[in-house]
PDB file of all heavy atoms in Angstrom:
ATOM      1  N   HIS A 282      10.248   8.818   8.250  1.00 95.00           N
ATOM      2  CA  HIS A 282      10.223   9.357   9.605  1.00 95.00           C
ATOM      3  C   HIS A 282       9.366   8.535  10.571  1.00 95.00           C
ATOM      4  O   HIS A 282       9.839   8.158  11.630  1.00 95.00           O
ATOM      5  CB  HIS A 282       9.717  10.803   9.600  1.00 95.00           C
ATOM      6  CG  HIS A 282      10.603  11.725   8.849  1.00 95.00           C
ATOM      7  ND1 HIS A 282      11.724  12.298   9.399  1.00 95.00           N
ATOM      8  CD2 HIS A 282      10.554  12.153   7.569  1.00 95.00           C
ATOM      9  CE1 HIS A 282      12.321  13.046   8.504  1.00 95.00           C
ATOM     10  NE2 HIS A 282      11.640  12.988   7.384  1.00 95.00           N
ATOM     11  N   HIS A 283       8.111   8.297  10.220  1.00 96.00           N
ATOM     12  CA  HIS A 283       7.167   7.640  11.125  1.00 96.00           C
ATOM     13  C   HIS A 283       6.651   6.340  10.519  1.00 96.00           C
ATOM     14  O   HIS A 283       5.618   6.328   9.865  1.00 96.00           O
ATOM     15  CB  HIS A 283       5.988   8.571  11.443  1.00 96.00           C
ATOM     16  CG  HIS A 283       6.392   9.826  12.111  1.00 96.00           C
ATOM     17  ND1 HIS A 283       5.961  11.051  11.690  1.00 96.00           N
ATOM     18  CD2 HIS A 283       7.202  10.061  13.179  1.00 96.00           C
ATOM     19  CE1 HIS A 283       6.473  11.986  12.463  1.00 96.00           C
ATOM     20  NE2 HIS A 283       7.233  11.402  13.365  1.00 96.00           N
ATOM     21  N   HIS A 284       7.377   5.278  10.769  1.00 97.00           N
ATOM     22  CA  HIS A 284       7.028   3.968  10.212  1.00 97.00           C
ATOM     23  C   HIS A 284       6.458   3.059  11.290  1.00 97.00           C
ATOM     24  O   HIS A 284       6.860   3.122  12.442  1.00 97.00           O
ATOM     25  CB  HIS A 284       8.259   3.301   9.618  1.00 97.00           C
ATOM     26  CG  HIS A 284       8.748   3.953   8.371  1.00 97.00           C
ATOM     27  ND1 HIS A 284       9.515   3.285   7.469  1.00 97.00           N
ATOM     28  CD2 HIS A 284       8.579   5.199   7.869  1.00 97.00           C
ATOM     29  CE1 HIS A 284       9.812   4.090   6.456  1.00 97.00           C
ATOM     30  NE2 HIS A 284       9.257   5.255   6.695  1.00 97.00           N
ATOM     31  N   GLY A 285       5.546   2.210  10.876  1.00 97.00           N
ATOM     32  CA  GLY A 285       4.975   1.215  11.761  1.00 97.00           C
ATOM     33  C   GLY A 285       4.688  -0.055  11.000  1.00 97.00           C
ATOM     34  O   GLY A 285       4.874  -0.126   9.775  1.00 97.00           O
ATOM     35  N   ILE A 286       4.220  -1.041  11.726  1.00 97.00           N
ATOM     36  CA  ILE A 286       3.831  -2.327  11.135  1.00 97.00           C
ATOM     37  C   ILE A 286       2.555  -2.768  11.838  1.00 97.00           C
ATOM     38  O   ILE A 286       2.432  -2.637  13.055  1.00 97.00           O
ATOM     39  CB  ILE A 286       4.928  -3.389  11.320  1.00 97.00           C
ATOM     40  CG1 ILE A 286       6.131  -3.053  10.450  1.00 97.00           C
ATOM     41  CG2 ILE A 286       4.411  -4.787  10.997  1.00 97.00           C
ATOM     42  CD1 ILE A 286       7.283  -4.010  10.594  1.00 97.00           C
ATOM     43  N   ILE A 287       1.613  -3.285  11.062  1.00 97.00           N
ATOM     44  CA  ILE A 287       0.483  -3.983  11.654  1.00 97.00           C
ATOM     45  C   ILE A 287       0.606  -5.442  11.238  1.00 97.00           C
ATOM     46  O   ILE A 287       1.100  -5.754  10.158  1.00 97.00           O
ATOM     47  CB  ILE A 287      -0.892  -3.397  11.254  1.00 97.00           C
ATOM     48  CG1 ILE A 287      -1.071  -3.339   9.748  1.00 97.00           C
ATOM     49  CG2 ILE A 287      -1.089  -2.019  11.864  1.00 97.00           C
ATOM     50  CD1 ILE A 287      -2.457  -2.916   9.310  1.00 97.00           C
ATOM     51  N   VAL A 329       2.536  -5.806   7.712  1.00 97.00           N
ATOM     52  CA  VAL A 329       2.128  -4.784   6.751  1.00 97.00           C
ATOM     53  C   VAL A 329       2.818  -3.452   7.058  1.00 97.00           C
ATOM     54  O   VAL A 329       2.728  -2.939   8.173  1.00 97.00           O
ATOM     55  CB  VAL A 329       0.599  -4.611   6.758  1.00 97.00           C
ATOM     56  CG1 VAL A 329       0.175  -3.539   5.766  1.00 97.00           C
ATOM     57  CG2 VAL A 329      -0.084  -5.934   6.447  1.00 97.00           C
ATOM     58  N   ALA A 330       3.490  -2.914   6.054  1.00 97.00           N
ATOM     59  CA  ALA A 330       4.181  -1.632   6.182  1.00 97.00           C
ATOM     60  C   ALA A 330       3.170  -0.503   6.329  1.00 97.00           C
ATOM     61  O   ALA A 330       2.209  -0.409   5.568  1.00 97.00           O
ATOM     62  CB  ALA A 330       5.060  -1.399   4.957  1.00 97.00           C
ATOM     63  N   CYS A 331       3.390   0.355   7.329  1.00 97.00           N
ATOM     64  CA  CYS A 331       2.489   1.479   7.603  1.00 97.00           C
ATOM     65  C   CYS A 331       3.285   2.757   7.855  1.00 97.00           C
ATOM     66  O   CYS A 331       4.463   2.713   8.169  1.00 97.00           O
ATOM     67  CB  CYS A 331       1.654   1.205   8.847  1.00 97.00           C
ATOM     68  SG  CYS A 331       0.575  -0.206   8.713  1.00 97.00           S
ATOM     69  N   TRP A 333       2.587   6.537  10.113  1.00 96.00           N
ATOM     70  CA  TRP A 333       1.702   7.074  11.148  1.00 96.00           C
ATOM     71  C   TRP A 333       2.006   8.548  11.389  1.00 96.00           C
ATOM     72  O   TRP A 333       3.074   9.051  11.016  1.00 96.00           O
ATOM     73  CB  TRP A 333       1.826   6.287  12.447  1.00 96.00           C
ATOM     74  CG  TRP A 333       3.198   6.317  13.064  1.00 96.00           C
ATOM     75  CD1 TRP A 333       4.220   5.435  12.839  1.00 96.00           C
ATOM     76  CD2 TRP A 333       3.709   7.288  13.978  1.00 96.00           C
ATOM     77  NE1 TRP A 333       5.325   5.791  13.569  1.00 96.00           N
ATOM     78  CE2 TRP A 333       5.041   6.935  14.283  1.00 96.00           C
ATOM     79  CE3 TRP A 333       3.175   8.421  14.581  1.00 96.00           C
ATOM     80  CZ2 TRP A 333       5.834   7.670  15.142  1.00 96.00           C
ATOM     81  CZ3 TRP A 333       3.973   9.158  15.447  1.00 96.00           C
ATOM     82  CH2 TRP A 333       5.289   8.779  15.725  1.00 96.00           C
ATOM     83  N   ILE A 371       5.918  -6.783   4.390  1.00 96.00           N
ATOM     84  CA  ILE A 371       7.381  -6.810   4.297  1.00 96.00           C
ATOM     85  C   ILE A 371       7.911  -8.097   4.924  1.00 96.00           C
ATOM     86  O   ILE A 371       7.226  -8.759   5.698  1.00 96.00           O
ATOM     87  CB  ILE A 371       8.029  -5.566   4.923  1.00 96.00           C
ATOM     88  CG1 ILE A 371       7.773  -5.493   6.421  1.00 96.00           C
ATOM     89  CG2 ILE A 371       7.534  -4.301   4.227  1.00 96.00           C
ATOM     90  CD1 ILE A 371       8.566  -4.380   7.098  1.00 96.00           C
ATOM     91  N   HIS A 375      13.391  -7.440   7.467  1.00 97.00           N
ATOM     92  CA  HIS A 375      13.430  -5.994   7.247  1.00 97.00           C
ATOM     93  C   HIS A 375      12.736  -5.184   8.351  1.00 97.00           C
ATOM     94  O   HIS A 375      12.719  -3.958   8.288  1.00 97.00           O
ATOM     95  CB  HIS A 375      12.775  -5.651   5.911  1.00 97.00           C
ATOM     96  CG  HIS A 375      13.469  -6.215   4.722  1.00 97.00           C
ATOM     97  ND1 HIS A 375      14.829  -6.114   4.523  1.00 97.00           N
ATOM     98  CD2 HIS A 375      12.988  -6.900   3.655  1.00 97.00           C
ATOM     99  CE1 HIS A 375      15.151  -6.706   3.389  1.00 97.00           C
ATOM    100  NE2 HIS A 375      14.058  -7.188   2.847  1.00 97.00           N
ATOM    101  N   VAL A 376      12.156  -5.847   9.339  1.00 97.00           N
ATOM    102  CA  VAL A 376      11.362  -5.150  10.351  1.00 97.00           C
ATOM    103  C   VAL A 376      12.175  -4.084  11.090  1.00 97.00           C
ATOM    104  O   VAL A 376      11.732  -2.938  11.221  1.00 97.00           O
ATOM    105  CB  VAL A 376      10.728  -6.148  11.345  1.00 97.00           C
ATOM    106  CG1 VAL A 376      10.158  -5.430  12.561  1.00 97.00           C
ATOM    107  CG2 VAL A 376       9.641  -6.951  10.654  1.00 97.00           C
ATOM    108  N   ASP A 377      13.339  -4.420  11.584  1.00 97.00           N
ATOM    109  CA  ASP A 377      14.128  -3.447  12.350  1.00 97.00           C
ATOM    110  C   ASP A 377      14.476  -2.214  11.514  1.00 97.00           C
ATOM    111  O   ASP A 377      14.342  -1.078  11.985  1.00 97.00           O
ATOM    112  CB  ASP A 377      15.406  -4.083  12.898  1.00 97.00           C
ATOM    113  CG  ASP A 377      15.127  -5.063  14.027  1.00 97.00           C
ATOM    114  OD1 ASP A 377      14.043  -4.979  14.648  1.00 97.00           O
ATOM    115  OD2 ASP A 377      15.992  -5.912  14.290  1.00 97.00           O
ATOM    116  N   ALA A 378      14.910  -2.427  10.280  1.00 97.00           N
ATOM    117  CA  ALA A 378      15.258  -1.289   9.414  1.00 97.00           C
ATOM    118  C   ALA A 378      14.017  -0.460   9.074  1.00 97.00           C
ATOM    119  O   ALA A 378      14.088   0.771   9.017  1.00 97.00           O
ATOM    120  CB  ALA A 378      15.934  -1.785   8.138  1.00 97.00           C
ATOM    121  N   TRP A 379      12.874  -1.115   8.872  1.00 97.00           N
ATOM    122  CA  TRP A 379      11.643  -0.382   8.556  1.00 97.00           C
ATOM    123  C   TRP A 379      11.206   0.467   9.750  1.00 97.00           C
ATOM    124  O   TRP A 379      10.780   1.615   9.576  1.00 97.00           O
ATOM    125  CB  TRP A 379      10.540  -1.352   8.147  1.00 97.00           C
ATOM    126  CG  TRP A 379       9.276  -0.620   7.818  1.00 97.00           C
ATOM    127  CD1 TRP A 379       8.153  -0.518   8.584  1.00 97.00           C
ATOM    128  CD2 TRP A 379       9.028   0.159   6.651  1.00 97.00           C
ATOM    129  NE1 TRP A 379       7.226   0.265   7.960  1.00 97.00           N
ATOM    130  CE2 TRP A 379       7.736   0.698   6.768  1.00 97.00           C
ATOM    131  CE3 TRP A 379       9.775   0.452   5.505  1.00 97.00           C
ATOM    132  CZ2 TRP A 379       7.159   1.508   5.793  1.00 97.00           C
ATOM    133  CZ3 TRP A 379       9.204   1.273   4.532  1.00 97.00           C
ATOM    134  CH2 TRP A 379       7.930   1.778   4.686  1.00 97.00           C
ATOM    135  N   LEU A 380      11.298  -0.076  10.947  1.00 97.00           N
ATOM    136  CA  LEU A 380      10.835   0.638  12.138  1.00 97.00           C
ATOM    137  C   LEU A 380      11.817   1.698  12.635  1.00 97.00           C
ATOM    138  O   LEU A 380      11.457   2.512  13.483  1.00 97.00           O
ATOM    139  CB  LEU A 380      10.527  -0.352  13.255  1.00 97.00           C
ATOM    140  CG  LEU A 380       9.338  -1.276  12.996  1.00 97.00           C
ATOM    141  CD1 LEU A 380       9.184  -2.273  14.140  1.00 97.00           C
ATOM    142  CD2 LEU A 380       8.053  -0.484  12.774  1.00 97.00           C
ATOM    143  N   SER A 381      13.042   1.683  12.120  1.00 97.00           N
ATOM    144  CA  SER A 381      14.050   2.691  12.481  1.00 97.00           C
ATOM    145  C   SER A 381      14.544   3.371  11.213  1.00 97.00           C
ATOM    146  O   SER A 381      15.711   3.255  10.834  1.00 97.00           O
ATOM    147  CB  SER A 381      15.228   2.028  13.209  1.00 97.00           C
ATOM    148  OG  SER A 381      14.779   1.364  14.358  1.00 97.00           O
ATOM    149  N   PRO A 382      13.653   4.089  10.525  1.00 96.00           N
ATOM    150  CA  PRO A 382      14.018   4.634   9.214  1.00 96.00           C
ATOM    151  C   PRO A 382      15.059   5.741   9.299  1.00 96.00           C
ATOM    152  O   PRO A 382      15.111   6.495  10.268  1.00 96.00           O
ATOM    153  CB  PRO A 382      12.693   5.192   8.694  1.00 96.00           C
ATOM    154  CG  PRO A 382      11.916   5.544   9.916  1.00 96.00           C
ATOM    155  CD  PRO A 382      12.297   4.491  10.928  1.00 96.00           C
ATOM    156  N   ASP A 383      15.891   5.800   8.271  1.00 95.00           N
ATOM    157  CA  ASP A 383      16.863   6.875   8.128  1.00 95.00           C
ATOM    158  C   ASP A 383      16.340   7.795   7.028  1.00 95.00           C
ATOM    159  O   ASP A 383      16.361   7.430   5.854  1.00 95.00           O
ATOM    160  CB  ASP A 383      18.233   6.305   7.747  1.00 95.00           C
ATOM    161  CG  ASP A 383      19.281   7.374   7.522  1.00 95.00           C
ATOM    162  OD1 ASP A 383      18.948   8.593   7.576  1.00 95.00           O
ATOM    163  OD2 ASP A 383      20.439   7.003   7.271  1.00 95.00           O
ATOM    164  N   LEU A 390      14.688   2.247   2.229  1.00 97.00           N
ATOM    165  CA  LEU A 390      13.282   2.015   2.554  1.00 97.00           C
ATOM    166  C   LEU A 390      12.498   1.559   1.325  1.00 97.00           C
ATOM    167  O   LEU A 390      11.672   0.644   1.412  1.00 97.00           O
ATOM    168  CB  LEU A 390      12.672   3.278   3.156  1.00 97.00           C
ATOM    169  CG  LEU A 390      13.376   3.771   4.417  1.00 97.00           C
ATOM    170  CD1 LEU A 390      12.832   5.115   4.846  1.00 97.00           C
ATOM    171  CD2 LEU A 390      13.279   2.744   5.534  1.00 97.00           C
ATOM    172  N   ILE A 393      13.227  -2.041   0.728  1.00 97.00           N
ATOM    173  CA  ILE A 393      12.462  -2.934   1.609  1.00 97.00           C
ATOM    174  C   ILE A 393      11.081  -3.191   1.011  1.00 97.00           C
ATOM    175  O   ILE A 393      10.603  -4.333   0.980  1.00 97.00           O
ATOM    176  CB  ILE A 393      12.343  -2.332   3.029  1.00 97.00           C
ATOM    177  CG1 ILE A 393      13.703  -2.374   3.727  1.00 97.00           C
ATOM    178  CG2 ILE A 393      11.284  -3.066   3.857  1.00 97.00           C
ATOM    179  CD1 ILE A 393      13.748  -1.594   5.028  1.00 97.00           C
TER     180      ILE A 393
END
Side-chain angles (χ1 to χ4, degrees):
H282 297 277
H283 299 131
H284 290 202
I286 290 178
I287 55 174
V329 180
C331 298
W333 61 270
I371 64 172
H375 297 312
V376 168
D377 289 339
W379 180 256
L380 293 176
S381 302
D383 178 356
L390 302 173
I393 290 170

